[in-house]
């Protein structure tokens, strides 16, 4: 399973990249706004900066909601860097845009997916990746992980090439469960990735090893 980081924060992207386990980045308009990135020129520059930090797919989301607007924006984004993946919302116009981009060889990430029906449609349209938002589903007292497993099953049975990119991850357990369910990618906050290191027995075991070593070596 590939690990993406879900942020527009450059320091966090650098930190995750330095771990050597980072395969890509996802952003969205809320994450860009959180970093105070505003104005088209700055937004585009920020995407290029991210692309120069990580050698892997970088999702950049369109903000238009009509076909013509999405196409115009998406083509501009895709021209920024070879690693840009145009992130398109799961709406009727978005599906048309995904099909258009797919025919042109432009990579897409279909975002805001909350059902297997939506994921099926995104794959039919030729989306490169599909983003089911598991944390937000959990918030509605439904199990987001069931959706990941359902989409993985449908894509495997029918041979769709669309990658399942588990999004809206809230914990290291989510990452683990996504791996079990067969997700191709998990896009995660930095903390969920670094929490994967943690185990109390690793901590106490290492302390003991170092203490024993110090006893005889001084
Ligand atoms: C996906 O690409 C989205 O950016 C993201 O995972 C949404 O997560 P949230 O529910 O924590 O906002």
């Amino acid at each position: 399973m590939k690990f993406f980081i879900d942020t527009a924060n450059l320091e966090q992207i650098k930190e995750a990249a330095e771990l050597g386990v980072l395969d890509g980045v996802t952003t969205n308009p809320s994450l860009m706004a959180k970093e105070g990135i505003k104005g088209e020129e700055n937004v585009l520059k920020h995407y290029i900066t991210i692309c120069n930090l990580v050698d892997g797919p970088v999702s950049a989301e369109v903000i238009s909601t009509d076909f013509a607007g999405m196409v115009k924006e998406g083509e501009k984004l895709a021209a920024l860097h070879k690693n840009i993946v145009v992130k398109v919302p799961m709406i009727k116009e978005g599906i048309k845009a995904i099909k258009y981009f797919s025919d042109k060889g432009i990579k897409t990430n279909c975002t805001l997916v909350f059902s297997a029906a939506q994921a099926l449609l995104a794959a039919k349209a030729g989306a490169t990746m599909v983003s089911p938002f598991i944390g937000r589903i959990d918030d509605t007292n439904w199990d987001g992980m069931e959706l990941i497993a359902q989409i993985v099953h449908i894509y495997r049975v029918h041979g769709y090439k669309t990658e399942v990119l588990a999004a809206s991850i809230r914990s290291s357990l989510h990452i683990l469960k996504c791996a079990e369910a067969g997700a191709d990618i998990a896009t995660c906050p930095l903390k969920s990735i670094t929490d994967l290191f943690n185990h109390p027995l690793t901590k106490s075991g290492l302390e003991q090893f170092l203490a024993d070593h110090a006893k005889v070596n001084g």
Side-chain angles (χ1 to χ4, degrees):
M1 187 174 75
K2 285 177 258 185
F3 281 22
F4 287 6
I5 188 164
D6 192 29
T7 185
N9 181 288
L10 300 179
E11 288 313 309
Q12 291 188 15
I13 293 170
K14 275 183 214 156
E15 190 177 333
E18 278 164 12
L19 289 174
V21 296
L22 190 66
D23 300 297
V25 181
T26 53
T27 63
N28 64 40
S30 303
L31 293 170
M32 294 291 275
K34 194 172 160 194
E35 299 308 316
I37 318 294
K38 57 182 177 187
E40 194 191 3
E41 203 181 317
N42 289 330
V43 167
L44 299 181
K45 255 199 242 162
H46 200 73
Y47 289 136
I48 294 174
T49 306
I50 294 175
C51 287
N52 289 332
L53 288 176
V54 180
D55 187 22
V58 173
S59 287
E61 189 161 341
V62 298
I63 46 166
S64 300
T65 53
D66 63 297
F67 174 76
M70 287 181 188
V71 164
K72 193 171 165 211
E73 257 189 83
E75 286 183 333
K76 200 169 196 174
L77 290 167
L80 287 177
H81 193 280
K82 67 178 173 46
N83 286 345
I84 289 284
V85 174
V86 181
K87 205 171 178 190
V88 178
M90 166 40 79
I91 54 176
K92 188 174 167 188
E93 296 291 289
I95 286 298
K96 289 196 237 168
I98 287 170
K99 173 72 177 119
Y100 172 89
F101 290 133
S102 166
D103 290 345
K104 291 235 154 188
I106 293 174
K107 291 189 173 140
T108 54
N109 172 356
C110 182
T111 189
L112 289 166
V113 166
F114 294 92
S115 76
Q118 292 177 323
L120 177 60
L121 200 52
K124 286 284 294 174
T128 314
M129 301 164 193
V130 68
S131 289
F133 278 34
I134 58 178
R136 294 192 194 186
I137 293 176
D138 288 355
D139 291 343
T140 65
N141 297 324
W142 199 261
D143 184 1
M145 214 54 67
E146 278 182 22
L147 177 60
I148 300 294
Q150 196 182 11
I151 298 171
V152 167
H153 175 73
I154 291 169
Y155 284 6
R156 300 248 160 101
V157 165
H158 293 280
Y160 288 118
K161 299 247 179 324
T162 305
E163 290 186 290
V164 180
L165 191 172
S168 187
I169 285 199
R170 304 271 167 82
S171 66
S172 54
L173 184 61
H174 264 160
I175 300 178
L176 192 63
K177 292 281 173 193
C178 283
E180 272 182 357
D184 300 288
I185 309 159
T187 188
C188 325
L190 179 62
K191 186 174 183 308
S192 304
I193 298 175
T194 54
D195 279 351
L196 290 168
F197 289 123
N198 296 336
H199 196 287
L201 293 179
T202 303
K203 188 172 182 288
S204 60
L206 182 60
E207 281 166 3
Q208 185 68 57
F209 285 156
L210 295 179
D212 290 343
H213 174 83
K215 257 187 243 163
V216 290
N217 292 282

